[in-house]
PDB file of all heavy atoms in Angstrom:
ATOM      1  N   ALA A  25     -43.026 -49.780  34.421  1.00 89.00           N
ATOM      2  CA  ALA A  25     -43.980 -50.282  33.430  1.00 89.00           C
ATOM      3  C   ALA A  25     -45.287 -50.529  34.170  1.00 89.00           C
ATOM      4  O   ALA A  25     -45.298 -50.718  35.383  1.00 89.00           O
ATOM      5  CB  ALA A  25     -43.489 -51.585  32.781  1.00 89.00           C
ATOM      6  N   GLU A  26     -46.381 -50.536  33.431  1.00 75.00           N
ATOM      7  CA  GLU A  26     -47.679 -50.813  34.054  1.00 75.00           C
ATOM      8  C   GLU A  26     -47.813 -52.324  34.189  1.00 75.00           C
ATOM      9  O   GLU A  26     -48.466 -52.989  33.395  1.00 75.00           O
ATOM     10  CB  GLU A  26     -48.796 -50.235  33.189  1.00 75.00           C
ATOM     11  CG  GLU A  26     -48.820 -48.724  33.141  1.00 75.00           C
ATOM     12  CD  GLU A  26     -49.126 -48.120  34.510  1.00 75.00           C
ATOM     13  OE1 GLU A  26     -49.840 -48.765  35.306  1.00 75.00           O
ATOM     14  OE2 GLU A  26     -48.643 -47.002  34.790  1.00 75.00           O
ATOM     15  N   SER A  27     -47.145 -52.881  35.215  1.00 80.00           N
ATOM     16  CA  SER A  27     -47.125 -54.336  35.358  1.00 80.00           C
ATOM     17  C   SER A  27     -47.301 -54.729  36.813  1.00 80.00           C
ATOM     18  O   SER A  27     -46.571 -54.262  37.685  1.00 80.00           O
ATOM     19  CB  SER A  27     -45.787 -54.887  34.823  1.00 80.00           C
ATOM     20  OG  SER A  27     -45.690 -56.273  35.030  1.00 80.00           O
ATOM     21  N   HIS A  28     -48.300 -55.579  37.071  1.00 84.00           N
ATOM     22  CA  HIS A  28     -48.490 -56.141  38.408  1.00 84.00           C
ATOM     23  C   HIS A  28     -48.721 -57.637  38.232  1.00 84.00           C
ATOM     24  O   HIS A  28     -49.845 -58.092  38.039  1.00 84.00           O
ATOM     25  CB  HIS A  28     -49.677 -55.491  39.113  1.00 84.00           C
ATOM     26  CG  HIS A  28     -49.797 -55.930  40.547  1.00 84.00           C
ATOM     27  ND1 HIS A  28     -50.982 -56.311  41.118  1.00 84.00           N
ATOM     28  CD2 HIS A  28     -48.860 -56.079  41.517  1.00 84.00           C
ATOM     29  CE1 HIS A  28     -50.794 -56.668  42.374  1.00 84.00           C
ATOM     30  NE2 HIS A  28     -49.507 -56.527  42.639  1.00 84.00           N
ATOM     31  N   PRO A  29     -47.636 -58.436  38.280  1.00 92.00           N
ATOM     32  CA  PRO A  29     -47.743 -59.844  37.895  1.00 92.00           C
ATOM     33  C   PRO A  29     -48.058 -60.778  39.053  1.00 92.00           C
ATOM     34  O   PRO A  29     -47.815 -60.467  40.227  1.00 92.00           O
ATOM     35  CB  PRO A  29     -46.344 -60.135  37.356  1.00 92.00           C
ATOM     36  CG  PRO A  29     -45.454 -59.259  38.189  1.00 92.00           C
ATOM     37  CD  PRO A  29     -46.250 -58.014  38.485  1.00 92.00           C
ATOM     38  N   PHE A  30     -48.615 -61.932  38.696  1.00 95.00           N
ATOM     39  CA  PHE A  30     -48.792 -63.063  39.602  1.00 95.00           C
ATOM     40  C   PHE A  30     -48.240 -64.296  38.885  1.00 95.00           C
ATOM     41  O   PHE A  30     -48.432 -64.445  37.666  1.00 95.00           O
ATOM     42  CB  PHE A  30     -50.262 -63.296  39.925  1.00 95.00           C
ATOM     43  CG  PHE A  30     -50.941 -62.133  40.613  1.00 95.00           C
ATOM     44  CD1 PHE A  30     -51.556 -61.129  39.866  1.00 95.00           C
ATOM     45  CD2 PHE A  30     -50.960 -62.046  41.995  1.00 95.00           C
ATOM     46  CE1 PHE A  30     -52.180 -60.061  40.488  1.00 95.00           C
ATOM     47  CE2 PHE A  30     -51.584 -60.972  42.622  1.00 95.00           C
ATOM     48  CZ  PHE A  30     -52.188 -59.982  41.876  1.00 95.00           C
ATOM     49  N   ALA A  31     -47.569 -65.156  39.627  1.00 95.00           N
ATOM     50  CA  ALA A  31     -47.058 -66.397  39.034  1.00 95.00           C
ATOM     51  C   ALA A  31     -48.213 -67.382  38.901  1.00 95.00           C
ATOM     52  O   ALA A  31     -48.600 -68.050  39.863  1.00 95.00           O
ATOM     53  CB  ALA A  31     -45.948 -66.976  39.904  1.00 95.00           C
ATOM     54  N   GLY A  32     -48.784 -67.435  37.706  1.00 95.00           N
ATOM     55  CA  GLY A  32     -49.917 -68.326  37.484  1.00 95.00           C
ATOM     56  C   GLY A  32     -49.528 -69.781  37.632  1.00 95.00           C
ATOM     57  O   GLY A  32     -50.162 -70.537  38.386  1.00 95.00           O
ATOM     58  N   GLU A  33     -48.469 -70.176  36.914  1.00 96.00           N
ATOM     59  CA  GLU A  33     -47.994 -71.553  37.022  1.00 96.00           C
ATOM     60  C   GLU A  33     -46.555 -71.634  36.543  1.00 96.00           C
ATOM     61  O   GLU A  33     -46.185 -71.029  35.534  1.00 96.00           O
ATOM     62  CB  GLU A  33     -48.860 -72.512  36.206  1.00 96.00           C
ATOM     63  CG  GLU A  33     -48.438 -73.959  36.344  1.00 96.00           C
ATOM     64  CD  GLU A  33     -49.334 -74.925  35.593  1.00 96.00           C
ATOM     65  OE1 GLU A  33     -50.163 -74.469  34.781  1.00 96.00           O
ATOM     66  OE2 GLU A  33     -49.197 -76.137  35.811  1.00 96.00           O
ATOM     67  N   ILE A  34     -45.752 -72.371  37.295  1.00 97.00           N
ATOM     68  CA  ILE A  34     -44.381 -72.680  36.903  1.00 97.00           C
ATOM     69  C   ILE A  34     -44.253 -74.191  36.963  1.00 97.00           C
ATOM     70  O   ILE A  34     -44.535 -74.806  37.998  1.00 97.00           O
ATOM     71  CB  ILE A  34     -43.361 -72.026  37.857  1.00 97.00           C
ATOM     72  CG1 ILE A  34     -43.541 -70.506  37.863  1.00 97.00           C
ATOM     73  CG2 ILE A  34     -41.937 -72.389  37.455  1.00 97.00           C
ATOM     74  CD1 ILE A  34     -42.878 -69.820  39.038  1.00 97.00           C
ATOM     75  N   ARG A  35     -43.864 -74.791  35.857  1.00 96.00           N
ATOM     76  CA  ARG A  35     -43.744 -76.244  35.826  1.00 96.00           C
ATOM     77  C   ARG A  35     -42.435 -76.656  35.168  1.00 96.00           C
ATOM     78  O   ARG A  35     -41.948 -75.984  34.250  1.00 96.00           O
ATOM     79  CB  ARG A  35     -44.932 -76.900  35.124  1.00 96.00           C
ATOM     80  CG  ARG A  35     -45.204 -76.405  33.721  1.00 96.00           C
ATOM     81  CD  ARG A  35     -46.223 -77.284  32.990  1.00 96.00           C
ATOM     82  NE  ARG A  35     -47.519 -77.341  33.628  1.00 96.00           N
ATOM     83  CZ  ARG A  35     -48.482 -78.205  33.294  1.00 96.00           C
ATOM     84  NH1 ARG A  35     -48.266 -79.074  32.318  1.00 96.00           N
ATOM     85  NH2 ARG A  35     -49.640 -78.200  33.909  1.00 96.00           N
ATOM     86  N   MET A  36     -41.857 -77.748  35.654  1.00 96.00           N
ATOM     87  CA  MET A  36     -40.622 -78.281  35.097  1.00 96.00           C
ATOM     88  C   MET A  36     -40.767 -79.792  34.952  1.00 96.00           C
ATOM     89  O   MET A  36     -41.278 -80.463  35.857  1.00 96.00           O
ATOM     90  CB  MET A  36     -39.436 -77.942  36.011  1.00 96.00           C
ATOM     91  CG  MET A  36     -38.080 -78.426  35.513  1.00 96.00           C
ATOM     92  SD  MET A  36     -37.670 -80.116  36.037  1.00 96.00           S
ATOM     93  CE  MET A  36     -37.446 -79.889  37.815  1.00 96.00           C
ATOM     94  N   GLY A  37     -40.330 -80.304  33.827  1.00 95.00           N
ATOM     95  CA  GLY A  37     -40.406 -81.742  33.595  1.00 95.00           C
ATOM     96  C   GLY A  37     -39.960 -82.093  32.198  1.00 95.00           C
ATOM     97  O   GLY A  37     -39.327 -81.285  31.505  1.00 95.00           O
ATOM     98  N   GLU A  38     -40.302 -83.297  31.781  1.00 96.00           N
ATOM     99  CA  GLU A  38     -39.848 -83.794  30.478  1.00 96.00           C
ATOM    100  C   GLU A  38     -40.967 -83.689  29.450  1.00 96.00           C
ATOM    101  O   GLU A  38     -42.138 -83.958  29.750  1.00 96.00           O
ATOM    102  CB  GLU A  38     -39.400 -85.263  30.597  1.00 96.00           C
ATOM    103  CG  GLU A  38     -38.007 -85.453  31.182  1.00 96.00           C
ATOM    104  CD  GLU A  38     -37.876 -84.952  32.620  1.00 96.00           C
ATOM    105  OE1 GLU A  38     -38.731 -85.333  33.452  1.00 96.00           O
ATOM    106  OE2 GLU A  38     -36.950 -84.161  32.899  1.00 96.00           O
ATOM    107  N   VAL A  39     -40.576 -83.296  28.246  1.00 96.00           N
ATOM    108  CA  VAL A  39     -41.517 -83.142  27.136  1.00 96.00           C
ATOM    109  C   VAL A  39     -40.964 -83.894  25.933  1.00 96.00           C
ATOM    110  O   VAL A  39     -39.761 -83.830  25.636  1.00 96.00           O
ATOM    111  CB  VAL A  39     -41.712 -81.652  26.770  1.00 96.00           C
ATOM    112  CG1 VAL A  39     -42.643 -81.509  25.580  1.00 96.00           C
ATOM    113  CG2 VAL A  39     -42.251 -80.880  27.964  1.00 96.00           C
ATOM    114  N   ASP A  40     -41.831 -84.617  25.249  1.00 96.00           N
ATOM    115  CA  ASP A  40     -41.416 -85.379  24.065  1.00 96.00           C
ATOM    116  C   ASP A  40     -41.148 -84.446  22.893  1.00 96.00           C
ATOM    117  O   ASP A  40     -41.834 -83.434  22.704  1.00 96.00           O
ATOM    118  CB  ASP A  40     -42.503 -86.391  23.681  1.00 96.00           C
ATOM    119  CG  ASP A  40     -42.680 -87.473  24.737  1.00 96.00           C
ATOM    120  OD1 ASP A  40     -41.694 -87.794  25.419  1.00 96.00           O
ATOM    121  OD2 ASP A  40     -43.812 -87.987  24.879  1.00 96.00           O
ATOM    122  N   VAL A  41     -40.145 -84.816  22.096  1.00 96.00           N
ATOM    123  CA  VAL A  41     -39.785 -84.070  20.887  1.00 96.00           C
ATOM    124  C   VAL A  41     -40.217 -84.896  19.683  1.00 96.00           C
ATOM    125  O   VAL A  41     -39.844 -86.069  19.556  1.00 96.00           O
ATOM    126  CB  VAL A  41     -38.270 -83.790  20.825  1.00 96.00           C
ATOM    127  CG1 VAL A  41     -37.918 -83.052  19.544  1.00 96.00           C
ATOM    128  CG2 VAL A  41     -37.831 -82.997  22.044  1.00 96.00           C
ATOM    129  N   VAL A  42     -40.997 -84.279  18.802  1.00 96.00           N
ATOM    130  CA  VAL A  42     -41.585 -84.993  17.665  1.00 96.00           C
ATOM    131  C   VAL A  42     -41.216 -84.276  16.378  1.00 96.00           C
ATOM    132  O   VAL A  42     -41.285 -83.041  16.304  1.00 96.00           O
ATOM    133  CB  VAL A  42     -43.128 -85.073  17.806  1.00 96.00           C
ATOM    134  CG1 VAL A  42     -43.751 -85.728  16.580  1.00 96.00           C
ATOM    135  CG2 VAL A  42     -43.503 -85.832  19.074  1.00 96.00           C
ATOM    136  N   ILE A  43     -40.816 -85.031  15.364  1.00 94.00           N
ATOM    137  CA  ILE A  43     -40.568 -84.478  14.037  1.00 94.00           C
ATOM    138  C   ILE A  43     -41.380 -85.277  13.015  1.00 94.00           C
ATOM    139  O   ILE A  43     -41.840 -86.386  13.299  1.00 94.00           O
ATOM    140  CB  ILE A  43     -39.071 -84.512  13.650  1.00 94.00           C
ATOM    141  CG1 ILE A  43     -38.573 -85.955  13.546  1.00 94.00           C
ATOM    142  CG2 ILE A  43     -38.235 -83.719  14.628  1.00 94.00           C
ATOM    143  CD1 ILE A  43     -37.175 -86.069  12.964  1.00 94.00           C
ATOM    144  N   CYS A  44     -41.531 -84.680  11.855  1.00 92.00           N
ATOM    145  CA  CYS A  44     -42.258 -85.338  10.772  1.00 92.00           C
ATOM    146  C   CYS A  44     -41.374 -85.324   9.529  1.00 92.00           C
ATOM    147  O   CYS A  44     -41.440 -84.390   8.727  1.00 92.00           O
ATOM    148  CB  CYS A  44     -43.586 -84.649  10.505  1.00 92.00           C
ATOM    149  SG  CYS A  44     -44.609 -85.488   9.265  1.00 92.00           S
ATOM    150  N   PRO A  45     -40.504 -86.332   9.338  1.00 90.00           N
ATOM    151  CA  PRO A  45     -39.612 -86.356   8.166  1.00 90.00           C
ATOM    152  C   PRO A  45     -40.399 -86.438   6.863  1.00 90.00           C
ATOM    153  O   PRO A  45     -41.404 -87.160   6.771  1.00 90.00           O
ATOM    154  CB  PRO A  45     -38.778 -87.624   8.388  1.00 90.00           C
ATOM    155  CG  PRO A  45     -38.933 -87.959   9.843  1.00 90.00           C
ATOM    156  CD  PRO A  45     -40.295 -87.486  10.215  1.00 90.00           C
ATOM    157  N   GLU A  46     -39.929 -85.691   5.869  1.00 87.00           N
ATOM    158  CA  GLU A  46     -40.632 -85.680   4.588  1.00 87.00           C
ATOM    159  C   GLU A  46     -40.661 -87.063   3.956  1.00 87.00           C
ATOM    160  O   GLU A  46     -41.648 -87.447   3.314  1.00 87.00           O
ATOM    161  CB  GLU A  46     -39.957 -84.684   3.633  1.00 87.00           C
ATOM    162  CG  GLU A  46     -40.098 -83.234   4.057  1.00 87.00           C
ATOM    163  CD  GLU A  46     -39.474 -82.293   3.047  1.00 87.00           C
ATOM    164  OE1 GLU A  46     -39.014 -82.787   1.989  1.00 87.00           O
ATOM    165  OE2 GLU A  46     -39.442 -81.076   3.295  1.00 87.00           O
ATOM    166  N   GLU A  47     -39.571 -87.823   4.143  1.00 88.00           N
ATOM    167  CA  GLU A  47     -39.519 -89.132   3.489  1.00 88.00           C
ATOM    168  C   GLU A  47     -40.468 -90.145   4.125  1.00 88.00           C
ATOM    169  O   GLU A  47     -40.819 -91.154   3.498  1.00 88.00           O
ATOM    170  CB  GLU A  47     -38.087 -89.690   3.521  1.00 88.00           C
ATOM    171  CG  GLU A  47     -37.488 -89.841   4.913  1.00 88.00           C
ATOM    172  CD  GLU A  47     -36.762 -88.603   5.387  1.00 88.00           C
ATOM    173  OE1 GLU A  47     -37.086 -87.493   4.903  1.00 88.00           O
ATOM    174  OE2 GLU A  47     -35.866 -88.746   6.228  1.00 88.00           O
ATOM    175  N   LEU A  48     -40.895 -89.886   5.393  1.00 88.00           N
ATOM    176  CA  LEU A  48     -41.834 -90.787   6.049  1.00 88.00           C
ATOM    177  C   LEU A  48     -43.273 -90.322   5.886  1.00 88.00           C
ATOM    178  O   LEU A  48     -44.174 -91.134   5.703  1.00 88.00           O
ATOM    179  CB  LEU A  48     -41.496 -90.906   7.538  1.00 88.00           C
ATOM    180  CG  LEU A  48     -40.157 -91.552   7.904  1.00 88.00           C
ATOM    181  CD1 LEU A  48     -39.985 -91.623   9.411  1.00 88.00           C
ATOM    182  CD2 LEU A  48     -40.063 -92.956   7.304  1.00 88.00           C
ATOM    183  N   GLY A  49     -43.477 -89.020   6.025  1.00 87.00           N
ATOM    184  CA  GLY A  49     -44.829 -88.487   5.887  1.00 87.00           C
ATOM    185  C   GLY A  49     -45.679 -88.610   7.127  1.00 87.00           C
ATOM    186  O   GLY A  49     -46.876 -88.313   7.099  1.00 87.00           O
ATOM    187  N   PHE A  50     -45.102 -89.060   8.238  1.00 91.00           N
ATOM    188  CA  PHE A  50     -45.839 -89.117   9.493  1.00 91.00           C
ATOM    189  C   PHE A  50     -44.880 -88.767  10.624  1.00 91.00           C
ATOM    190  O   PHE A  50     -43.655 -88.823  10.487  1.00 91.00           O
ATOM    191  CB  PHE A  50     -46.476 -90.493   9.723  1.00 91.00           C
ATOM    192  CG  PHE A  50     -45.498 -91.632   9.691  1.00 91.00           C
ATOM    193  CD1 PHE A  50     -44.792 -92.030  10.816  1.00 91.00           C
ATOM    194  CD2 PHE A  50     -45.285 -92.327   8.495  1.00 91.00           C
ATOM    195  CE1 PHE A  50     -43.894 -93.069  10.777  1.00 91.00           C
ATOM    196  CE2 PHE A  50     -44.380 -93.380   8.444  1.00 91.00           C
ATOM    197  CZ  PHE A  50     -43.680 -93.758   9.585  1.00 91.00           C
ATOM    198  N   ALA A  51     -45.476 -88.386  11.763  1.00 92.00           N
ATOM    199  CA  ALA A  51     -44.687 -87.887  12.896  1.00 92.00           C
ATOM    200  C   ALA A  51     -44.077 -89.041  13.678  1.00 92.00           C
ATOM    201  O   ALA A  51     -44.697 -90.100  13.838  1.00 92.00           O
ATOM    202  CB  ALA A  51     -45.561 -87.033  13.807  1.00 92.00           C
ATOM    203  N   ILE A  52     -42.853 -88.828  14.151  1.00 94.00           N
ATOM    204  CA  ILE A  52     -42.183 -89.805  15.000  1.00 94.00           C
ATOM    205  C   ILE A  52     -41.564 -89.095  16.202  1.00 94.00           C
ATOM    206  O   ILE A  52     -41.159 -87.936  16.112  1.00 94.00           O
ATOM    207  CB  ILE A  52     -41.083 -90.584  14.242  1.00 94.00           C
ATOM    208  CG1 ILE A  52     -40.023 -89.629  13.690  1.00 94.00           C
ATOM    209  CG2 ILE A  52     -41.679 -91.439  13.146  1.00 94.00           C
ATOM    210  CD1 ILE A  52     -38.823 -90.326  13.079  1.00 94.00           C
ATOM    211  N   GLU A  53     -41.509 -89.793  17.312  1.00 95.00           N
ATOM    212  CA  GLU A  53     -40.889 -89.244  18.526  1.00 95.00           C
ATOM    213  C   GLU A  53     -39.407 -89.584  18.514  1.00 95.00           C
ATOM    214  O   GLU A  53     -39.031 -90.751  18.313  1.00 95.00           O
ATOM    215  CB  GLU A  53     -41.572 -89.842  19.754  1.00 95.00           C
ATOM    216  CG  GLU A  53     -41.018 -89.345  21.076  1.00 95.00           C
ATOM    217  CD  GLU A  53     -41.660 -90.049  22.261  1.00 95.00           C
ATOM    218  OE1 GLU A  53     -42.907 -90.219  22.233  1.00 95.00           O
ATOM    219  OE2 GLU A  53     -40.919 -90.450  23.178  1.00 95.00           O
ATOM    220  N   ILE A  54     -38.557 -88.587  18.713  1.00 93.00           N
ATOM    221  CA  ILE A  54     -37.112 -88.811  18.650  1.00 93.00           C
ATOM    222  C   ILE A  54     -36.434 -88.695  20.013  1.00 93.00           C
ATOM    223  O   ILE A  54     -35.217 -88.864  20.115  1.00 93.00           O
ATOM    224  CB  ILE A  54     -36.439 -87.831  17.663  1.00 93.00           C
ATOM    225  CG1 ILE A  54     -36.653 -86.380  18.109  1.00 93.00           C
ATOM    226  CG2 ILE A  54     -36.930 -88.061  16.252  1.00 93.00           C
ATOM    227  CD1 ILE A  54     -35.880 -85.362  17.278  1.00 93.00           C
ATOM    228  N   GLY A  55     -37.185 -88.415  21.064  1.00 94.00           N
ATOM    229  CA  GLY A  55     -36.600 -88.299  22.391  1.00 94.00           C
ATOM    230  C   GLY A  55     -37.393 -87.338  23.246  1.00 94.00           C
ATOM    231  O   GLY A  55     -38.520 -86.944  22.891  1.00 94.00           O
TER     232      GLY A  55
END
C-alpha cells in the first residue's frame, strides 16, 4: 500500500463516560 507512517501520538489513561438520560435532560458522568 502507499503508506509511510509515523507514530504521531500514543496515549493510555482514564476517560470519563457521560450519558444524557431522556428523563433527566442533562448529561451525567457514570464512571
Side-chain angles (χ1 to χ4, degrees):
E26 292 295 330
S27 176
H28 187 226
F30 299 89
E33 183 177 12
I34 301 163
R35 55 169 61 191
M36 181 272 292
E38 281 63 50
V39 178
D40 294 330
V41 178
V42 176
I43 64 171
C44 185
E46 293 183 4
E47 58 271 25
L48 295 181
F50 56 86
I52 59 173
E53 180 184 317
I54 61 173

